[in-house]
Amino acid sequence: MARGEEIYNDFCLTCHLPNGAGVKDVYPPLAKSDYLAENRKASIHLLKYGIDGPIKVNGVTYNGSMPAMGLDDDEIADVMNYITNQWGNTNKNRVTEKEVAAIKK
Ligand code: HEC
């Protein structure tokens, strides 16, 4: 969690903001995000490879793009564990480095 927080602060906070709320119609929220809660594999995938094109989060369609940030698999696991356990999110089933490694383009 501590490592994930550091990564979040370094790489994610500028867009998704300190409270994970994002910016309406521009950067989707992570706090209480149904997308993040329900699409574990796709969330890991977009952290690994980036995402471009429409995505629906809590009923709002975002059509932006998020670049891959060149994080290592263990760093993606750490930041996933952080964002899925912050701001009211809970996920007891921890993401592991191995799980991230198994997600291919
Ligand atoms: C340059 C701004 C930017 C940065 C930096 C950024 N994101 Fe994103 N993120 C976006 C945008 C824009 C989308 C929606 C992409 C789309 O519309 O296809 C998104 C989507 C997401 C989603 C899926 C949608 C949701 O809200 O649940 C997750 C999860 C996510 N980002 C996590 C992260 C994490 C973790 C980091 C840091 C490692 C990060 N993002 C860094 C802009 C950013």
Side-chain angles (χ1 to χ4, degrees), residues 6-75:
E6 229 172 86
I7 294 165
Y8 186 83
N9 291 340
D10 288 349
F11 292 94
C12 323
L13 176 146
T14 45
C15 294
H16 294 285
L17 300 195
N19 57 4
V23 175
K24 197 168 181 297
D25 300 326
V26 186
Y27 303 126
L30 302 179
K32 305 266 168 68
S33 159
D34 59 354
Y35 186 90
L36 178 61
E38 293 162 18
N39 299 281
R40 175 178 174 120
K41 282 198 162 63
S43 298
I44 295 170
H45 191 278
L46 65 85
L47 285 171
K48 253 180 124 166
Y49 305 112
I51 180 173
D52 210 353
I55 177 174
K56 201 171 187 179
V57 183
N58 297 343
V60 178
T61 300
Y62 294 82
N63 196 354
S65 69
M66 174 174 138
M69 276 151 281
L71 299 173
D72 292 334
D73 291 348
D74 62 324
E75 295 175 312

Side-chain angles (χ1 to χ4, degrees), residues 74-95:
D74 62 324
E75 295 175 312
I76 290 176
D78 290 342
V79 81
M80 273 296 287
N81 287 325
Y82 178 72
I83 64 177
T84 55
N85 288 287
Q86 278 301 304
W87 318 299
N89 297 343
T90 41
N91 168 38
K92 295 211 177 354
N93 180 10
R94 289 282 191 265
V95 176

